[in-house]
Amino acid sequence: MTKPIQVRNPRTGKLDYDIVPPSGNLLEQQCLGLRQAQNHWQQIGVERRIEALKQWKQAVLSQRDSLTEALVNDTGRLSISVLEIDSFLSSIDRWCKLAPELLQESEKNTAIPFIHLKQTSVPYPLVGVISPWNFPLLLSTIDTIPALIAGCAVIVKPSEIASRFVKPLMTAINAVPDLRDVLTFVEGGGETGANLLEYVDLICFTGSVATGLKVAEAAAKRFIPAFLELGGKDPAIVLSSANLELATSAILWGSVVNTGQSCLSIERIYVAESMFEEFVDKLVTKAERLKLAYPTVESGEIGPIIAERQAEIIREHLLDAIAKGAVVGCGGKVEEKNGGWWCHPTVLTQVNHSMKVMTEETFGPIMPVMPFSTVEEAINLANNVIYGLSAAIFAEEESEALAVARYIDAGAISINDAGLTALIYEGAKNSFKFSGLGGSRMGTAGLMRFLRKKAFLVKTNAVPDPWWFDS
Ligand code: NAD
């Protein structure tokens, strides 16, 4: 018997839920079972797999209330939990629509007239997915759905910090006969995640850089592909021609939606010095209008800080910045309310890159704003961190913004908007620097990651090849 893990409720601070991680032995057996069932899943073909996923969607819809309730208890917020379920369901629709064409075999002639090429692909048998707590449903299924459609079996290990949603989701999985033998969610912490790496053929990991490095090492030792989606410190650059009304609204949303607990949150803002004060005034005015979702989930826009350890990091970054001279325009502290941790949207000025809040991932609703005098300076500041996830550029003309975007070390750049990667699934992108490794999760490439290409090279005549010894 393994030791249960107590799960904290982010609104009350109470440890009101337990999960029991599987023993190493049980996990191994589960992986073996999934691996055995995968062959049938692959053989039934894409149309039947699509049918099974559509049934899963219906089964999830019938669990919608309990799934929403579990996600609200996991994260302390309501509207984003509803959005997570909707995005998950539309992701099933999207992949069901795209998959038949993507999985088609192709045939063609080659440069050698009597050699014909049949191009096909085979799925990795067992895919492991390890996910974080900030969007528990979305990030545990974003890779799972394309992997299943590709023909893989999948085992998912969500974060131990937000695991309540697993029960209603498993009820929906178990309602689909074709699916239940090839998909499972296991509860557990880091140890279970590390154990999982022993048994899978490919790993999709979403989480921190620190854990991502461990996962990369473990995967390298087993020589399996690792797709790593890690932390970020996304910059926004506001050029002097930008529409300030638009830029402040977009940046506020991009920084504090989900209380800033998003990998692609805007965490640093560089503004042309000619409009710096006006920008800050507008941003503060708009930030002050937002309310905490306290005492009820519907009281305001800003939910609690989900993970207690994250509240500690946000506090540490604020104290470090203030001690080094940062000025608080609004917000500015992490407060305890009835056992939960909360932080009002915070605008900081007089910031610089000696402060943690400008170079390390904060993962909270903090908006440090720094002026720049030349575009080159803004680009250098934006690139002066270990991360390279995404960014946002604001300018009057698209061409002016794009000219800057081309120099930013990041895989996805929103122009005159913020956080668009969270909404636009079509754009293939890579994570730069320490923000990740491996192929794009977005775009059709997201499905192709789960396939190994196979070429059948067919000789079409019965005469000796000119390069043979006896020709
Ligand atoms: P984390 O790295 O602490 O944990 C992520 C997952 O890894 C959890 O399920 C955890 O149990 C598991 N884990 C821990 N140790 C492990 C080990 N040794 N081997 C295998 N698995 C292990 O991250 P977190 O705090 O849950 O999530 C927040 C981080 O996730 C932030 O850095 C955020 O930027 C990042 N994130 C990135 C993306 C993206 O798409 N790039 C999306 C969301 C979150």
PDB file of all heavy atoms in Angstrom, residues 124 126 128 196-203 215-216 218-227:
ATOM      1  N   TYR A 124       3.396   5.257 -31.685  1.00  0.00           N
ATOM      2  CA  TYR A 124       4.120   4.751 -30.507  1.00  0.00           C
ATOM      3  C   TYR A 124       3.098   3.987 -29.666  1.00  0.00           C
ATOM      4  O   TYR A 124       1.983   4.491 -29.456  1.00  0.00           O
ATOM      5  CB  TYR A 124       4.684   5.912 -29.691  1.00  0.00           C
ATOM      6  CG  TYR A 124       5.898   6.543 -30.317  1.00  0.00           C
ATOM      7  CD1 TYR A 124       5.773   7.604 -31.207  1.00  0.00           C
ATOM      8  CD2 TYR A 124       7.173   6.066 -30.029  1.00  0.00           C
ATOM      9  CE1 TYR A 124       6.888   8.177 -31.799  1.00  0.00           C
ATOM     10  CE2 TYR A 124       8.300   6.644 -30.618  1.00  0.00           C
ATOM     11  CZ  TYR A 124       8.144   7.692 -31.502  1.00  0.00           C
ATOM     12  OH  TYR A 124       9.260   8.247 -32.081  1.00  0.00           O
ATOM     13  N   LEU A 126       2.729   3.136 -26.332  1.00  0.00           N
ATOM     14  CA  LEU A 126       2.214   3.693 -25.072  1.00  0.00           C
ATOM     15  C   LEU A 126       2.809   5.077 -24.805  1.00  0.00           C
ATOM     16  O   LEU A 126       4.016   5.225 -24.620  1.00  0.00           O
ATOM     17  CB  LEU A 126       2.542   2.750 -23.902  1.00  0.00           C
ATOM     18  CG  LEU A 126       2.033   3.203 -22.531  1.00  0.00           C
ATOM     19  CD1 LEU A 126       0.518   3.425 -22.522  1.00  0.00           C
ATOM     20  CD2 LEU A 126       2.407   2.186 -21.450  1.00  0.00           C
ATOM     21  N   GLY A 128       2.986   8.439 -22.431  1.00  0.00           N
ATOM     22  CA  GLY A 128       2.768   8.950 -21.073  1.00  0.00           C
ATOM     23  C   GLY A 128       2.552  10.455 -21.126  1.00  0.00           C
ATOM     24  O   GLY A 128       3.215  11.152 -21.903  1.00  0.00           O
ATOM     25  N   LEU A 196       6.545   6.442 -13.995  1.00  0.00           N
ATOM     26  CA  LEU A 196       5.876   6.301 -15.296  1.00  0.00           C
ATOM     27  C   LEU A 196       6.890   6.309 -16.445  1.00  0.00           C
ATOM     28  O   LEU A 196       6.738   5.606 -17.452  1.00  0.00           O
ATOM     29  CB  LEU A 196       4.884   7.461 -15.458  1.00  0.00           C
ATOM     30  CG  LEU A 196       3.883   7.371 -16.594  1.00  0.00           C
ATOM     31  CD1 LEU A 196       2.933   6.217 -16.347  1.00  0.00           C
ATOM     32  CD2 LEU A 196       3.086   8.670 -16.691  1.00  0.00           C
ATOM     33  N   LEU A 197       7.932   7.107 -16.248  1.00  0.00           N
ATOM     34  CA  LEU A 197       8.939   7.237 -17.301  1.00  0.00           C
ATOM     35  C   LEU A 197       9.666   5.921 -17.601  1.00  0.00           C
ATOM     36  O   LEU A 197      10.322   5.779 -18.622  1.00  0.00           O
ATOM     37  CB  LEU A 197       9.949   8.315 -16.908  1.00  0.00           C
ATOM     38  CG  LEU A 197       9.427   9.722 -17.180  1.00  0.00           C
ATOM     39  CD1 LEU A 197      10.046  10.738 -16.256  1.00  0.00           C
ATOM     40  CD2 LEU A 197       9.710  10.093 -18.628  1.00  0.00           C
ATOM     41  N   GLU A 198       9.527   4.969 -16.681  1.00  0.00           N
ATOM     42  CA  GLU A 198      10.167   3.662 -16.882  1.00  0.00           C
ATOM     43  C   GLU A 198       9.404   2.794 -17.875  1.00  0.00           C
ATOM     44  O   GLU A 198       9.937   1.838 -18.417  1.00  0.00           O
ATOM     45  CB  GLU A 198      10.244   2.895 -15.541  1.00  0.00           C
ATOM     46  CG  GLU A 198      11.100   3.552 -14.492  1.00  0.00           C
ATOM     47  CD  GLU A 198      12.562   3.589 -14.925  1.00  0.00           C
ATOM     48  OE1 GLU A 198      13.042   2.580 -15.472  1.00  0.00           O
ATOM     49  OE2 GLU A 198      13.199   4.652 -14.742  1.00  0.00           O
ATOM     50  N   TYR A 199       8.109   3.107 -18.100  1.00  0.00           N
ATOM     51  CA  TYR A 199       7.268   2.138 -18.809  1.00  0.00           C
ATOM     52  C   TYR A 199       6.697   2.634 -20.131  1.00  0.00           C
ATOM     53  O   TYR A 199       6.089   1.863 -20.859  1.00  0.00           O
ATOM     54  CB  TYR A 199       6.104   1.700 -17.902  1.00  0.00           C
ATOM     55  CG  TYR A 199       6.557   1.218 -16.553  1.00  0.00           C
ATOM     56  CD1 TYR A 199       6.156   1.850 -15.382  1.00  0.00           C
ATOM     57  CD2 TYR A 199       7.420   0.133 -16.453  1.00  0.00           C
ATOM     58  CE1 TYR A 199       6.598   1.418 -14.148  1.00  0.00           C
ATOM     59  CE2 TYR A 199       7.871  -0.311 -15.224  1.00  0.00           C
ATOM     60  CZ  TYR A 199       7.452   0.343 -14.070  1.00  0.00           C
ATOM     61  OH  TYR A 199       7.899  -0.086 -12.861  1.00  0.00           O
ATOM     62  N   VAL A 200       6.811   3.929 -20.426  1.00  0.00           N
ATOM     63  CA  VAL A 200       6.153   4.450 -21.631  1.00  0.00           C
ATOM     64  C   VAL A 200       7.148   4.538 -22.803  1.00  0.00           C
ATOM     65  O   VAL A 200       8.359   4.466 -22.603  1.00  0.00           O
ATOM     66  CB  VAL A 200       5.511   5.835 -21.361  1.00  0.00           C
ATOM     67  CG1 VAL A 200       4.378   5.707 -20.346  1.00  0.00           C
ATOM     68  CG2 VAL A 200       6.548   6.846 -20.889  1.00  0.00           C
ATOM     69  N   ASP A 201       6.612   4.698 -24.008  1.00  0.00           N
ATOM     70  CA  ASP A 201       7.461   4.755 -25.204  1.00  0.00           C
ATOM     71  C   ASP A 201       7.713   6.180 -25.671  1.00  0.00           C
ATOM     72  O   ASP A 201       8.512   6.421 -26.578  1.00  0.00           O
ATOM     73  CB  ASP A 201       6.781   3.983 -26.348  1.00  0.00           C
ATOM     74  CG  ASP A 201       6.487   2.553 -25.939  1.00  0.00           C
ATOM     75  OD1 ASP A 201       7.432   1.861 -25.530  1.00  0.00           O
ATOM     76  OD2 ASP A 201       5.310   2.149 -25.970  1.00  0.00           O
ATOM     77  N   LEU A 202       6.971   7.111 -25.096  1.00  0.00           N
ATOM     78  CA  LEU A 202       7.094   8.538 -25.461  1.00  0.00           C
ATOM     79  C   LEU A 202       6.483   9.307 -24.297  1.00  0.00           C
ATOM     80  O   LEU A 202       5.503   8.856 -23.707  1.00  0.00           O
ATOM     81  CB  LEU A 202       6.312   8.794 -26.748  1.00  0.00           C
ATOM     82  CG  LEU A 202       6.241  10.197 -27.330  1.00  0.00           C
ATOM     83  CD1 LEU A 202       5.991  10.118 -28.853  1.00  0.00           C
ATOM     84  CD2 LEU A 202       5.162  11.064 -26.719  1.00  0.00           C
ATOM     85  N   ILE A 203       7.075  10.440 -23.984  1.00  0.00           N
ATOM     86  CA  ILE A 203       6.518  11.213 -22.864  1.00  0.00           C
ATOM     87  C   ILE A 203       6.182  12.642 -23.314  1.00  0.00           C
ATOM     88  O   ILE A 203       6.963  13.285 -24.003  1.00  0.00           O
ATOM     89  CB  ILE A 203       7.484  11.216 -21.643  1.00  0.00           C
ATOM     90  CG1 ILE A 203       6.817  11.850 -20.427  1.00  0.00           C
ATOM     91  CG2 ILE A 203       8.813  11.885 -21.934  1.00  0.00           C
ATOM     92  CD1 ILE A 203       5.822  10.985 -19.723  1.00  0.00           C
ATOM     93  N   VAL A 215      12.904  15.089 -16.337  1.00  0.00           N
ATOM     94  CA  VAL A 215      12.169  14.231 -17.278  1.00  0.00           C
ATOM     95  C   VAL A 215      13.018  14.007 -18.533  1.00  0.00           C
ATOM     96  O   VAL A 215      13.116  12.884 -19.051  1.00  0.00           O
ATOM     97  CB  VAL A 215      10.796  14.873 -17.626  1.00  0.00           C
ATOM     98  CG1 VAL A 215      10.115  14.138 -18.767  1.00  0.00           C
ATOM     99  CG2 VAL A 215       9.892  14.887 -16.391  1.00  0.00           C
ATOM    100  N   ALA A 216      13.659  15.076 -19.008  1.00  0.00           N
ATOM    101  CA  ALA A 216      14.494  14.955 -20.215  1.00  0.00           C
ATOM    102  C   ALA A 216      15.624  13.953 -19.981  1.00  0.00           C
ATOM    103  O   ALA A 216      15.938  13.132 -20.841  1.00  0.00           O
ATOM    104  CB  ALA A 216      15.072  16.326 -20.579  1.00  0.00           C
ATOM    105  N   ALA A 218      15.705  11.449 -17.749  1.00  0.00           N
ATOM    106  CA  ALA A 218      15.176  10.080 -17.628  1.00  0.00           C
ATOM    107  C   ALA A 218      14.802   9.539 -19.014  1.00  0.00           C
ATOM    108  O   ALA A 218      15.045   8.365 -19.317  1.00  0.00           O
ATOM    109  CB  ALA A 218      13.961  10.068 -16.697  1.00  0.00           C
ATOM    110  N   ALA A 219      14.213  10.396 -19.844  1.00  0.00           N
ATOM    111  CA  ALA A 219      13.809   9.951 -21.189  1.00  0.00           C
ATOM    112  C   ALA A 219      15.047   9.636 -22.031  1.00  0.00           C
ATOM    113  O   ALA A 219      15.064   8.653 -22.780  1.00  0.00           O
ATOM    114  CB  ALA A 219      12.966  11.033 -21.861  1.00  0.00           C
ATOM    115  N   ALA A 220      16.081  10.474 -21.877  1.00  0.00           N
ATOM    116  CA  ALA A 220      17.307  10.241 -22.656  1.00  0.00           C
ATOM    117  C   ALA A 220      17.927   8.894 -22.276  1.00  0.00           C
ATOM    118  O   ALA A 220      18.406   8.154 -23.133  1.00  0.00           O
ATOM    119  CB  ALA A 220      18.299  11.375 -22.416  1.00  0.00           C
ATOM    120  N   LYS A 221      17.876   8.569 -20.984  1.00  0.00           N
ATOM    121  CA  LYS A 221      18.457   7.292 -20.526  1.00  0.00           C
ATOM    122  C   LYS A 221      17.733   6.112 -21.145  1.00  0.00           C
ATOM    123  O   LYS A 221      18.323   5.088 -21.411  1.00  0.00           O
ATOM    124  CB  LYS A 221      18.390   7.203 -19.005  1.00  0.00           C
ATOM    125  CG  LYS A 221      19.520   7.959 -18.345  1.00  0.00           C
ATOM    126  CD  LYS A 221      19.634   7.632 -16.874  1.00  0.00           C
ATOM    127  CE  LYS A 221      20.734   8.477 -16.261  1.00  0.00           C
ATOM    128  NZ  LYS A 221      20.320   9.109 -15.033  1.00  0.00           N
ATOM    129  N   ARG A 222      16.402   6.266 -21.351  1.00  0.00           N
ATOM    130  CA  ARG A 222      15.641   5.158 -21.958  1.00  0.00           C
ATOM    131  C   ARG A 222      15.551   5.318 -23.474  1.00  0.00           C
ATOM    132  O   ARG A 222      14.934   4.506 -24.147  1.00  0.00           O
ATOM    133  CB  ARG A 222      14.240   5.091 -21.342  1.00  0.00           C
ATOM    134  CG  ARG A 222      14.262   4.550 -19.928  1.00  0.00           C
ATOM    135  CD  ARG A 222      12.923   3.936 -19.553  1.00  0.00           C
ATOM    136  NE  ARG A 222      12.421   3.039 -20.563  1.00  0.00           N
ATOM    137  CZ  ARG A 222      11.230   3.145 -21.141  1.00  0.00           C
ATOM    138  NH1 ARG A 222      10.397   4.106 -20.788  1.00  0.00           N
ATOM    139  NH2 ARG A 222      10.850   2.290 -22.050  1.00  0.00           N
ATOM    140  N   PHE A 223      16.095   6.400 -23.998  1.00  0.00           N
ATOM    141  CA  PHE A 223      16.114   6.649 -25.447  1.00  0.00           C
ATOM    142  C   PHE A 223      14.698   6.739 -26.017  1.00  0.00           C
ATOM    143  O   PHE A 223      14.382   6.192 -27.064  1.00  0.00           O
ATOM    144  CB  PHE A 223      16.902   5.526 -26.143  1.00  0.00           C
ATOM    145  CG  PHE A 223      17.669   6.018 -27.338  1.00  0.00           C
ATOM    146  CD1 PHE A 223      18.516   7.096 -27.231  1.00  0.00           C
ATOM    147  CD2 PHE A 223      17.542   5.405 -28.569  1.00  0.00           C
ATOM    148  CE1 PHE A 223      19.221   7.558 -28.329  1.00  0.00           C
ATOM    149  CE2 PHE A 223      18.234   5.863 -29.675  1.00  0.00           C
ATOM    150  CZ  PHE A 223      19.074   6.946 -29.552  1.00  0.00           C
ATOM    151  N   ILE A 224      13.831   7.445 -25.282  1.00  0.00           N
ATOM    152  CA  ILE A 224      12.464   7.653 -25.777  1.00  0.00           C
ATOM    153  C   ILE A 224      12.267   9.151 -26.038  1.00  0.00           C
ATOM    154  O   ILE A 224      12.892   9.988 -25.380  1.00  0.00           O
ATOM    155  CB  ILE A 224      11.381   7.136 -24.779  1.00  0.00           C
ATOM    156  CG1 ILE A 224      11.471   7.864 -23.426  1.00  0.00           C
ATOM    157  CG2 ILE A 224      11.471   5.625 -24.598  1.00  0.00           C
ATOM    158  CD1 ILE A 224      10.269   7.633 -22.517  1.00  0.00           C
ATOM    159  N   PRO A 225      11.414   9.506 -27.002  1.00  0.00           N
ATOM    160  CA  PRO A 225      11.196  10.933 -27.260  1.00  0.00           C
ATOM    161  C   PRO A 225      10.495  11.619 -26.092  1.00  0.00           C
ATOM    162  O   PRO A 225       9.602  11.031 -25.462  1.00  0.00           O
ATOM    163  CB  PRO A 225      10.283  10.956 -28.486  1.00  0.00           C
ATOM    164  CG  PRO A 225      10.142   9.558 -28.952  1.00  0.00           C
ATOM    165  CD  PRO A 225      10.634   8.643 -27.885  1.00  0.00           C
ATOM    166  N   ALA A 226      10.918  12.849 -25.817  1.00  0.00           N
ATOM    167  CA  ALA A 226      10.284  13.641 -24.755  1.00  0.00           C
ATOM    168  C   ALA A 226       9.840  14.968 -25.355  1.00  0.00           C
ATOM    169  O   ALA A 226      10.651  15.678 -25.966  1.00  0.00           O
ATOM    170  CB  ALA A 226      11.279  13.887 -23.625  1.00  0.00           C
ATOM    171  N   PHE A 227       8.571  15.267 -25.229  1.00  0.00           N
ATOM    172  CA  PHE A 227       8.045  16.562 -25.678  1.00  0.00           C
ATOM    173  C   PHE A 227       7.789  17.385 -24.429  1.00  0.00           C
ATOM    174  O   PHE A 227       6.931  17.039 -23.615  1.00  0.00           O
ATOM    175  CB  PHE A 227       6.770  16.363 -26.507  1.00  0.00           C
ATOM    176  CG  PHE A 227       7.049  15.621 -27.778  1.00  0.00           C
ATOM    177  CD1 PHE A 227       6.777  14.274 -27.888  1.00  0.00           C
ATOM    178  CD2 PHE A 227       7.630  16.280 -28.848  1.00  0.00           C
ATOM    179  CE1 PHE A 227       7.069  13.585 -29.054  1.00  0.00           C
ATOM    180  CE2 PHE A 227       7.920  15.599 -30.016  1.00  0.00           C
ATOM    181  CZ  PHE A 227       7.639  14.244 -30.121  1.00  0.00           C
TER     182      PHE A 227
END
